[in-house]
Amino acid sequence: MKFKLTSIAAAIILSPATFAADMEDIERLTVKGKYLSVNQSNSIKSPTPIIDVPQSLSIITAEEITARGITSIGQIIDYAPGVNTSQGEGHRDSVVFRGVRSTADFYLDGNRDDVQYYRALYNVEQVEILRGPNALLFGRGGTGGILNRVSKKAKTSDKFVNYNVSANTFGAYNLQLDTNVDTGDKSALRINAMYESLDNHRDFFYGDRYGFNPTARFELSDDTIVDVSYEYIDHERFIDRGVPTANGEPVEAFEDIVFGDPENNYQTLGADVFRANVEHTFSDNLKGNFNAFYGDYDKVYSNFYAAGYNAETEQVTLDGYVDTTQRENMILSSNLVGEFETGSIGHTVIFGGEVINTKSNQDRYNPVFDSTDGDRETFNISRPLSFRGLTGTNAEGITVTADFSDLNDETHVDLDVYSFYVQDEIALSDNFDLVLGARFDSFDIEVFNADPEVLETRSRKDEEVSPRAGLVYKPQKNISIYASYSESFLPRSGEQYANINGDANALDPDTFTNQEIGVKWDFNDSMSFTAAIFENEQTSLDNDPNDPESFVEVDSDVSGFELQLQGYITDKWYITANYSNLDGENASGVELRELPENTMSVWTTYEVNEVFGFGIGATYQDESKVSTSASSPVLPSYTRVDASAYYTLSDKMRLQLNVENLTDTLYFPNAHSTHQVTVGAPINARLSLIGSF
């Protein structure tokens, strides 16, 4: 069923709630949820109440992340409307925003965080998900939505030490420390640190993650605040690309088999990230923000995976590659937010600019098997496969070895982006707000292809204007009805801009448009209902198969709606529930990949008394296609039930239990391609000790 923009709908707001918080904490979190203040480096960039934002967005706070036992971006997505997870080839966060798969639309304090890895949550104040194209505030990409992490900042006039120690039934464990020291009347130092030992239900899985993030705040005057931060990141993990499919669905009998090399399926990431932010209040009506970001990343991604499966002979064909990426991102951005009136009309104007320089070197090597002199070899299926350490016995009983010696590609990229934008939130009356804005982006990329057989340099420059318009009608203070239109674009160098080979340097960027109407209704201080109906359209150029000198438009379309009810039924009973319906197809009328028609989730918590409480929830995902083709395998629908409970040991210590997949359901949440389907985790429990000094 396809929904067009012909009736009222709305946006989803996951207002923050704390499981096992006292009433003072609840009040504080409610205020944080309703107002996205400019000094939090958040996604909206203006001090606008959420109810007045003509767009779908979701927020989850650090307190709720802790209470729910959430340890990954994917677990947040499971309980958010309009989005679902993708496999990301087992080495990166990957989100499908309203049918648009992305591995690069991630931000940290509003700065682009596009390197492919799994992001930790130990130093996060809140996570914000904006749906629909977001080019006005974020530039290229953001085609279906963006995910922004707001980091924890040092706090003046405060001192605390918080800790979280947890372990799960797979054998994984996690240590987190959050400490803040008041270093003077106008300065403070905060240190967030974490260590995580990884394990799960799959054979050979291993990994550890380190994170160290000191931040400092200096209040230079009543009007000027400086925040500086450094983060050290060190990650290593096993890569699991999942199981093959047969007869149009995943092979359940293979749920325990890893189709890879236990010693050569891994990812390592080392990164140093520096951030500085200056906020200055020029007057009661004018505030400014300047931000500098530098990230230096070094990543290796090595893997083998199932590229083919023969059900009759019970044999699998392995392929693989090893990638390396060295990237430096330098981002300078600033904005001014001014509030003024022209006659009886009020204005909140945002004017900003951004300069980005990215240098990125990447290469890929394919394996060469001595038996085939190619990158593929066939093995009999067993647990484990007879292939380890680049050596094994193939399906014919012959000992084979492989070596990553075939250069697939090597490119060196230099990217310069210059942008500026302006947006005016116009209060036409007490009941009507009009939002108008546009962004200009200059995207200049140069790619040197260092493959000895090619050795060429290609370049392309795109200049795009991305408009945004919205109308908000408030029949009363607690209800808003809105309509919005926005655009975004993605250059042909792609999310990771690794190359512009072939005809890519001659093609204009893909363009995306979003139309959305909705309603937000706060019943009272503790309960709200929100909904949205929308349509996203993608237009791209491709070579005309009948005329190589001409181009044709290739379009796709996604439409749907989202609903949510959330808040406190009583002082002790909290609930959040959401539902999404999505329908998408390409120009040939074929259903898009990774686009479940129906997804829904519910989470509810109840405080039995002052020391004990519990929660239970469920997330449902409809069946979806693995690829955009008429013969694509299907991921079966599933329902996963989760639960939690806590016991307060003292004023400063809590014992918490979180259980995932309470009914031990076998499910397959996502996939990368036909024979790479993720196996969901069986029932597992995490026990945490959470407290402070």
Side-chain angles (χ1 to χ4, degrees):
M1 182 176 182
K2 191 170 184 177
F3 294 86
K4 296 292 183 179
L5 302 182
T6 56
S7 63
I8 294 178
I12 303 304
I13 310 296
L14 290 178
S15 65
T18 302
F19 180 63
D22 57 30
M23 292 306 294
E24 181 180 356
D25 287 337
I26 292 172
E27 180 180 359
R28 175 175 61 85
L29 293 175
T30 300
V31 171
K32 282 178 63 178
K34 288 185 178 178
Y35 296 93
L36 298 179
S37 61
V38 68
N39 62 6
Q40 290 180 285
S41 301
N42 60 76
S43 306
I44 303 302
K45 301 185 187 293
S46 69
T48 305
I50 287 177
I51 198 170
D52 295 337
V53 176
Q55 185 175 7
S56 299
L57 65 152
S58 301
I59 297 174
I60 184 169
T61 65
E63 291 86 352
E64 189 172 2
I65 288 171
T66 299
R68 299 270 289 274
I70 292 172
T71 60
S72 68
I73 295 293
Q75 290 174 308
I76 294 175
I77 297 302
D78 286 342
Y79 280 88
V83 291
N84 52 284
T85 61
S86 183
Q87 186 189 88
E89 298 177 274
H91 72 105
R92 60 194 181 188
D93 289 319
S94 184
V95 182
V96 184
F97 297 96
R98 289 182 173 176
V100 180
R101 186 175 60 149
S102 176
T103 64
D105 290 318
F106 296 92
Y107 293 81
L108 177 60
D109 291 335
N111 295 291
R112 186 175 293 273
D113 179 31
D114 54 15
V115 176
Q116 297 177 335
Y117 69 107
Y118 286 108
R119 291 153 181 83
L121 302 174
Y122 74 103
N123 59 346
V124 164
E125 191 69 37
Q126 66 186 35
V127 175
E128 306 163 352
I129 303 173
L130 275 68
R131 290 178 290 280
N134 288 276
L136 186 139
L137 296 177
F138 295 98
R140 70 192 187 277
T143 50
I146 68 99
L147 188 148
N148 181 50
R149 293 173 295 148
V150 179
S151 67
K152 294 178 179 178
K153 309 293 193 304
K155 298 181 178 181
T156 57
S157 303
D158 201 356
K159 182 179 181 180
F160 57 80
V161 178
N162 298 326
Y163 62 87
N164 186 333
V165 181
S166 65
N168 70 16
T169 49
F170 294 132
Y173 59 91
N174 182 289
L175 310 173
Q176 295 184 24
L177 181 70
D178 180 5
T179 180
N180 190 89
V181 179
D182 189 357
T183 57
D185 293 339
K186 299 292 185 179
S187 63
L189 174 67
R190 186 171 186 174
I191 297 176
N192 281 271
M194 63 89 71
Y195 170 74
E196 184 175 13
S197 176
L198 303 173
D199 205 346
N200 70 8
H201 58 295
R202 302 280 284 162
D203 288 345
F204 314 119
F205 191 89
Y206 71 92
D208 11 54
R209 304 201 295 179
Y210 301 86
F212 178 67
N213 183 199
T215 67
R217 167 163 288 191
F218 305 95
E219 297 180 356
L220 302 183
S221 69
D222 292 340
D223 298 323
T224 305
I225 298 175
V226 177
D227 289 297
V228 293
S229 170
Y230 163 71
E231 183 177 12
Y232 170 74
I233 301 171
D234 187 342
H235 294 179
E236 182 177 8
R237 70 187 300 130
F238 183 75
I239 298 301
D240 182 5
R241 298 279 291 264
V243 300
T245 65
N247 301 316
E249 61 183 23
V251 182
E252 294 187 1
F254 297 160
E255 63 172 298
D256 294 322
I257 300 177
V258 172
F259 292 86
D261 181 345
E263 296 180 11
N264 287 280
N265 276 47
Y266 65 88
Q267 176 213 305
T268 62
L269 171 72
D272 297 282
V273 179
F274 299 86
R275 303 190 300 277
N277 187 75
V278 180
E279 300 169 12
H280 182 72
T281 301
F282 295 96
S283 68
D284 291 342
N285 300 320
L286 181 63
K287 296 181 180 180
N289 184 295
F290 174 81
N291 190 276
F293 177 97
Y294 173 78
D296 186 356
Y297 307 86
D298 190 352
K299 178 186 172 185
V300 176
Y301 171 47
S302 174
N303 73 122
F304 285 89
Y305 57 89
Y309 167 59
N310 188 321
E312 294 183 1
T313 62
E314 289 292 295
Q315 294 175 343
V316 64
T317 299
L318 295 188
D319 197 350
Y321 54 87
V322 57
D323 275 347
T324 71
T325 300
Q326 300 84 40
R327 183 171 300 170
E328 294 182 57
N329 283 344
M330 171 65 79
I331 304 172
L332 302 177
S333 62
S334 62
N335 63 69
L336 292 173
V337 179
E339 297 177 290
F340 61 93
E341 294 182 353
T342 55
S344 61
I345 298 177
H347 299 266
T348 300
V349 176
I350 311 171
F351 177 79
E354 186 175 56
V355 177
I356 300 176
N357 175 255
T358 294
K359 298 185 185 299
S360 186
N361 298 337
Q362 47 274 316
D363 58 50
R364 172 174 292 190
Y365 284 84
N366 295 329
V368 176
F369 286 92
D370 61 358
S371 53
T372 65
D373 200 29
D375 59 0
R376 296 190 176 194
E377 181 57 279
T378 301
F379 298 86
N380 293 320
I381 295 178
S382 60
R383 183 186 181 194
L385 293 180
S386 179
F387 184 64
R388 184 165 191 159
L390 298 176
T391 302
T393 303
N394 68 9
E396 298 177 356
I398 300 173
T399 299
V400 299
T401 61
D403 183 32
F404 290 111
S405 57
D406 177 24
L407 177 64
N408 186 78
D409 60 68
E410 180 181 358
T411 55
H412 303 169
V413 175
D414 195 345
L415 173 66
D416 290 299
V417 180
Y418 302 92
S419 311
F420 65 86
Y421 59 89
V422 61
Q423 176 181 278
D424 190 1
E425 301 172 16
I426 307 169
L428 300 175
S429 68
D430 291 339
N431 304 104
F432 281 98
D433 290 340
L434 178 64
V435 178
L436 295 174
R439 178 183 181 115
F440 170 80
D441 283 284
S442 173
F443 183 92
D444 192 350
I445 185 171
E446 181 178 276
V447 181
F448 171 61
N449 193 330
D451 186 333
E453 297 183 2
V454 181
L455 291 178
E456 68 170 359
T457 299
R458 292 188 176 215
S459 62
R460 178 178 173 89
K461 185 174 184 178
D462 292 300
E463 296 182 340
E464 297 288 333
V465 176
S466 304
R468 178 189 186 190
L471 181 65
V472 180
Y473 169 61
K474 298 186 70 174
Q476 54 192 58
K477 290 183 178 181
N478 64 326
I479 299 176
S480 69
I481 301 170
Y482 72 87
S484 69
Y485 173 86
S486 56
E487 294 183 3
S488 186
F489 73 98
L490 182 65
R492 285 309 179 95
S493 49
E495 293 180 337
Q496 298 298 321
Y497 29 84
N499 64 64
I500 45 177
N501 293 336
D503 296 308
N505 68 330
L507 299 176
D508 290 336
D510 294 346
T511 58
F512 300 79
T513 63
N514 176 71
Q515 304 167 74
E516 183 173 330
I517 54 178
V519 60
K520 306 177 184 181
W521 185 4
D522 294 335
F523 296 124
N524 48 49
D525 291 339
S526 60
M527 180 68 70
S528 67
F529 171 77
T530 59
I533 189 169
F534 55 86
E535 184 174 24
N536 293 342
E537 297 180 343
Q538 175 183 355
T539 300
S540 60
L541 290 177
D542 207 346
N543 293 102
D544 187 338
N546 301 315
D547 183 2
E549 301 300 321
S550 302
F551 303 101
V552 294
E553 285 192 358
V554 180
D555 301 331
S556 62
D557 182 278
V558 178
S559 59
F561 66 89
E562 304 163 352
L563 306 170
Q564 181 171 346
L565 177 72
Q566 67 83 35
Y568 283 89
I569 299 175
T570 69
D571 289 345
K572 298 184 177 182
W573 185 8
Y574 173 81
I575 188 171
T576 177
N578 63 68
Y579 169 77
S580 300
N581 182 286
L582 298 170
D583 179 36
E585 58 185 36
N586 62 17
S588 301
V590 178
E591 180 183 345
L592 298 180
R593 62 177 296 192
E594 298 182 305
L595 190 68
E597 181 178 358
N598 301 288
T599 58
M600 63 184 73
S601 66
V602 61
W603 180 261
T604 184
T605 61
Y606 186 75
E607 182 183 344
V608 177
N609 53 43
E610 292 182 355
V611 298
F612 177 70
F614 66 90
I616 190 165
T619 178
Y620 168 82
Q621 181 171 296
D622 221 342
E623 68 176 31
S624 61
K625 298 179 66 174
V626 173
S627 65
T628 303
S629 69
S631 59
S632 169
V634 171
L635 297 175
S637 62
Y638 70 88
T639 300
R640 194 189 75 216
V641 178
D642 304 322
S644 68
Y646 73 91
Y647 184 81
T648 302
L649 301 173
S650 69
D651 292 342
K652 295 186 176 182
M653 186 179 295
R654 181 173 85 243
L655 190 64
Q656 180 175 300
L657 177 68
N658 296 91
V659 181
E660 184 180 89
N661 197 0
L662 190 64
T663 58
D664 201 23
T665 299
L666 175 61
Y667 68 102
F668 303 91
N670 48 48
H672 180 71
S673 62
T674 298
H675 298 304
Q676 298 152 50
V677 178
T678 302
V679 181
I683 182 172
N684 64 94
R686 175 179 293 272
L687 186 65
S688 304
L689 184 65
I690 303 165
S692 62
F693 298 112

